[in-house]
């Protein structure tokens, strides 16, 4: 609070006396205001499961999608300021296209997250603009290997076995640490993720709210499942 | 209020401690000061119905039009600061012309809303300028499909079945959620919209205040109806 | 007042919490400090009648003219900061010349007002400069049609049947709404305008103070009448 | 005073709540701190008479001249910050030379004042610099016509029959309104100007303080008279 | 504290009255918030041992690596803001590649640290950006000589026999001064470093937390050892 | 004082309510903190006599020279911030060299002072830099004529018969007004200047402190006299 | 203190009411926080003797050197912010190399100090950056002449017979004024310098702390002596 009165939190380019960048930390809060998505690397591919919350009836469903196709082998979900996120998604899509045109081969998912993260870092260091208020989760398959990355507001990123961004991210990650196993198939992994959402959302849980996209290692092509069709993934519980 | 005293609301590029962009939120208020318009995707096309309020007798009516032709197959209405809106409309018109010149084909309505929204996003992130104080609703027909988009102050946009911008937008949207059906024809849809305005405006309701523009799927060309001629759409009530 | 203490009115690029651009509103006040002019579209052309107030004897009368020739078929009057206005008039003149040189045809009056208004809008959105403190009224004849436009400080503009800018603009417009008719000839229209000024100025009314310029539809060339010669227009009252 | 506390007078690009540009008004005060000069259009040419006040004995008289040659047919005097004024004079001289080189003909005095005034206007509208603290009076002969112009701090200018800038400008102008006549010869006009100075300066009046430059219509070439030689113009009183 | 109230600590480009750059000093604090790493020049090469702290199970271990390969003969570890550090590492990698391409020979480790330090210095002197909040330790072998460099926030750097950055750096350096000898082999040097960590971390010490990379003089190629495999280095105690 | 509290004196580009540029006035004070020099146009040339005060024994005397050679026929002394002054001197030297190269003739002293003064004026009008804190005195001979110029902080300049800058400049100028005559030879002029210094400095007067440079009209080449050799000029008193 | 409250010391480009540049004065304080070095022009060359204070055992001694080779005939020492100093040293080295490449001859030491000082001056006049917090001492031999220069924070410089920068500079200079003689040989001069350090440092004096570099006139090549080897210079006392 005192640092607020002293004004250390007014620009992204000012350190507080204890070495923090407060504007960047504020921007991180905006990310937890957004709806959440979970990503997971599985034995047979990578998936992202996004919570769409209650979609306004007036909005065309496909338009409110939270999971975007970066390239035919890469999916991404975002949390935070939606216009910022949209801009980052577009930049990622252009990067991928340019890579295909230049090298005649698909881009590696890490190249995408790295370029976007470099851009984000610059907006936390240079004045005259604000940091992007958006976290980015990218999943993809390249060279028969599935990978999942998450980039935060500062422009730092890691490769994850499984991760969550947005609302309740810490609670979800705690559950993931408990239930995630490296040998899960996409089918079982989605089940795990839905169970976690069910536990956290309680009565508000509803398969209709969710959107799933995954990239199987063998096909290297995105597949999408929405709403009711997710049941197939959820009931499986007893089958397994 | 405290955030105001602390100055977190002075520039569009500063986050408040709870992760908000207050200047952007203030700009959003300016939009609700403008008169409203309703757009709707119908089975046979898309229309926008705009409330012109009381037009000054001294102003040439066509000059006070709220619905603009972006291209022969795309219409747009705006809410907010009129000079900002005019500039965005002009940019949209130029985009469409450039597309026709470059590709010899009509631009897709989503390309228009995307470019304009990207521009808007930049004005919320970079310093040295203020965000555009204008919301934009775009309706059009391309490839035998009618679409309707709305872009807010931040540069986010969605595709809508039906939507409203400007004064009383929330009240109108509530009614739209109740009465909108996907199989409405333009004729019936306009009737629904006028009825909603009638209910909200009460004694002030008057067909003279309204301006209608629509793009039928079969013709892909804008048609316009103003003032008294709207009666044809409104009386229909009993006919249907 | 509170918004002043909080500093929301210090730059043209800051929104107040209720969505206003206060610096722009302040700039609008400067326009009402200037002397007024009235414009009118008539059956046989368009005219602008400007009040010169008391012209300093030491100033060369033609130099204090309030009505400027933009091109041989377009006239303009201004209200507000005179140096800003002069600069805008010069830009309008250059636009017209460029149009003639490029297309070998006279520019349309609306193209002029649109370009100038776009420029004005930019000065209300970008930092590092202040808005132009000037309103612009433009009248002209093109393609056998007389038109009158007025652009405000924000860069918004409309086409008018008749309008007033500067001191007492609202009072004059009220009278115009009462007495203006679309079938007035220039001659009768000027009479109406002078009568309005007479009523508002009372004892201070004096034909010597006024300057008239008009563009008849048939000739598409500006004609000017100053001072005593205006009597011909004013006495007409009894004749008609 | 309140506007000062609120800070509306800190930059030239901020409007006060009542529509004033206070920094520009402050700059105008600096002009009245300078010594005065009087210009007059006469039947046989145009002259400027400048008060040099008490010139420091150590300064070379010609170096303290207040009346500058812009071109062989144009003279100028200045009031305000002397370094600003000098820079504007140099710009005017360069303009004139460029005109001669480009068009092989002398520049019109109004072109000079217009260009300089445009420059001044920009410095009242754009940030990052301060307005020029200088008024400029330009007199010249072109096409057998003598003209006199004065440009203020804002970059506004008029053509004058006669005018004064600097210290006591309002008092001098009052006298000019009384005694100036359009048929005065340069000789008689200078007499009128000197008499006005004599009345205002009282005991401090001294022909030695003054500097005269004029451009006769027939010759279109500057002539200069300094100090004692001015007697010829002053004694004339009885002769006429 | 008083200097804070007076605002001397608000930008990196302002000296306090006693000649300090407070923003730069704040940035230095951010470095001590990061986990630590130790570097050492040994008789047979150079190594860096980094503490990874507790790595989140969800993060792919290799992705959380603290020791980066700049080129096949140069390793680097960082402390501070991770996104800043990542950007500096990437710049160092590009420098090395460019050197190979341009001169067809490996870059010298000192050239790398010098370029990066020059960049850092600029960010403490020029406005419009903040200093990099990262310290960089670089070790490498060139021309049969092992070297170790550390660059601080200001862009100053030294060549070290042994050094530590990050959390507890001063405590570790105190121990290094006591136990470091120039004739230590990498094997023994790592043992010394692990013992120091053990003493400082107490119960929290765990070989699993550490990451080791070294460049033997004879091979001039990086080798890496992680987690359990470090035991081989630690038990050696008794063997020697 | 009140203007200080109100902040009118914080940037060189802000006018105070009474039309002053306070930062420029502060910069002028810095000039009176420097040691003084006297310049004089004599019947046989021009000289500058500079007080070096007590020169540190450790400094190489020639390096502490106050009188600089701009070109072989032009000398200059400065007062104020020494690094600013040095930079201006260098610019003047470069100007002179460029003139020789371009026109194959020596530059006129007034061209030098004018260019330097234009530069100074810009630094009082544009933001983002501070005014040069240095006054410049230039003396030279061209076309058999000796001239002396002084430029102040604002970038204004005059031609002088004799002048002083730096510490006690007003006292010295008062004496110069009393004792300077246009027919003084350099020899006698220097005597006058030394006598003035003697009177003002009292016991502290010492020929050793002074540095003399002069340009005789006949030779158009600088000659220098330092310290003891000045006696020749001073004893002359009785001789004359 | 009052000037601090009023904020005159916040940017390097603001004059205080008494004509000081306070930020520049603060930067000068940072120089006295650094360790000191002494330079001396002797009959047979020039030397710089630098106090290294207590060098951290972990730092490679050569890396902590205070005396840098600018070119084979020029040495330099610095005091102040070490990263700033390093950058200035690098610029000086590049200047020298460029001179050799361009003119195929060694650069004069004064050209080096002049260029560096010009750069420093700019950083005290232009906004958007801070002044370099470093003093520079340069010694060299060219054309059989040894010279020594020192440049301060403002970018002013002098040629010195002998000088000191850094901690206790004033005390050392006082002693130098007492003991320096122009006919000292390097050998004797170093003895003088060491004796001065011994007197000032008392018990803390230790030959190990010092670093010596000198350029003999006959060889025009740098020679270096460190630590114990300095004894040869110090014991000489009795020999002489």
């Amino acid at each position: 609070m005192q640092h607020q009165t002293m004004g250390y939190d007014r620009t992204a380019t000012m350190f507080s006396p204890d070495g923090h960048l407060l504007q960047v930390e504020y921007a991180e809060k905006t990310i937890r205001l957004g709806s959440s998505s979970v990503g997971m690397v599985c034995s047979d591919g990578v998936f992202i499961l996004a919570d769409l919350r209650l979609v306004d009836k007036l909005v065309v469903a496909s338009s409110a999608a939270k999971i975007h196709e970066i390239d035919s082998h890469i999916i991404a979900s975002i949390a935070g300021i939606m216009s910022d996120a949209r801009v980052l998604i577009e930049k990622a899509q252009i990067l991928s296209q340019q890579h295909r045109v230049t090298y005649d081969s698909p881009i590696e998912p890490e190249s995408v997250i790295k370029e976007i993260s470099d851009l984000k870092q610059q907006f936390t260091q240079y004045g005259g603009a604000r940091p992007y208020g958006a976290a980015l989760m990218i999943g993809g398959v390249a060279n028969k290997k599935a990978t999942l990355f998450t980039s935060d507001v500062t422009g730092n990123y890691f490769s994850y076995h499984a991760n969550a961004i947005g609302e309740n991210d810490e609670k979800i990650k705690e559950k993931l640490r408990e239930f995630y196993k490296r040998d899960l198939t996409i089918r079982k992994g989605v089940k795990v993720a839905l169970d976690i959402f069910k536990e956290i959302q309680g009565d508000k849980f509803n398969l209709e709210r969710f959107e799933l996209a995954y990239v199987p290692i063998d096909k290297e092509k995105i597949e999408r499942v929405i709403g009711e069709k997710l049941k197939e993934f959820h009931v499986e519980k007893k089958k397994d």
Side-chain angles (χ1 to χ4, degrees), chain A:
Chain A
M1 182 62 210
Q2 194 203 347
H3 284 171
Q4 294 181 9
T5 315
M6 299 288 281
Y8 296 114
D9 61 349
R10 292 312 188 277
T11 74
T13 58
M14 202 193 300
F15 285 97
S16 71
D18 47 1
H20 287 258
L21 295 171
L22 294 170
Q23 266 293 307
V24 174
E25 293 177 6
Y26 294 175
E28 275 165 355
K29 283 191 197 157
T30 210
I31 287 170
R32 297 224 164 85
L33 302 175
S35 62
S36 37
S37 50
V38 167
M40 210 180 277
V41 175
C42 298
S43 57
D44 54 348
V46 60
F47 76 83
I48 295 178
L49 177 76
D51 178 8
L52 300 167
R53 287 180 181 169
L54 262 184
V55 177
D56 186 346
K57 271 181 59 175
L58 298 174
V59 173
V60 176
S62 66
S63 158
K66 281 275 168 58
I67 310 180
H68 302 268
E69 174 172 340
I70 300 303
D71 198 344
S72 63
H73 62 305
I74 304 180
I75 51 181
S77 75
I78 51 98
I81 298 175
M82 298 193 63
S83 49
D84 284 19
R86 194 171 51 70
V87 167
L88 291 176
I89 290 292
E90 284 171 22
K91 286 189 197 289
Q93 289 165 339
I94 290 167
L95 273 175
S96 304
Q97 287 168 20
Q98 287 173 337
H99 192 280
R100 281 201 184 266
V101 168
T102 315
Y103 304 105
D104 196 23
S105 75
I107 197 169
E108 299 229 1
E110 183 158 12
S111 299
V112 174
I113 199 84
K114 191 169 135 180
E115 290 275 346
I116 296 298
S117 297
D118 284 1
L119 187 70
K120 280 173 159 188
Q121 190 274 343
Q122 288 170 27
F123 280 79
T124 72
Q125 185 170 23
Y126 295 88
R130 59 169 177 78
Y132 282 98
L136 188 69
M137 179 182 281
I138 280 188
V141 170
N143 308 319
K144 299 295 163 201
K145 193 169 176 306
T147 46
L148 178 77
F149 298 92
T150 313
S151 151
D152 65 13
V153 157
T154 67
N156 197 26
Y157 74 88
F158 288 112
S159 173
Y160 285 87
H161 298 297
N163 199 19
I165 57 174
E167 197 187 24
N168 293 318
D169 61 343
E170 284 308 332
K171 279 194 206 165
I172 300 172
K173 282 156 84 171
E174 215 171 304
K175 298 284 176 195
L176 284 172
R177 282 184 203 105
E178 192 174 349
F179 297 114
Y180 173 76
K181 277 169 208 140
R182 295 204 193 172
D183 59 359
L184 288 172
T185 56
I186 291 174
R187 201 155 269 271
K188 290 182 186 164
V190 171
K191 175 72 177 62
V192 166
L194 284 170
D195 284 346
I196 292 174
F197 273 121
K198 194 175 185 180
E199 187 173 339
I200 288 172
Q201 297 178 345
D203 290 356
K204 288 175 186 157
F205 178 80
N206 180 344
L207 280 182
E208 296 279 339
R209 300 171 62 144
F210 293 96
E211 182 191 3
L212 169 70
Y214 58 95
V215 187
I217 288 176
D218 50 3
K219 293 183 188 156
E220 296 206 0
K221 288 272 176 227
I222 298 171
E223 305 205 9
R224 286 177 174 277
V225 182
I226 307 185
E228 278 303 298
K229 290 189 185 162
L230 273 168
K231 252 189 206 156
E232 191 182 342
F233 289 78
H234 202 213
V235 218
E236 208 168 350
K237 207 174 189 172
K238 287 125 204 178
K239 276 205 288 190
D240 280 2

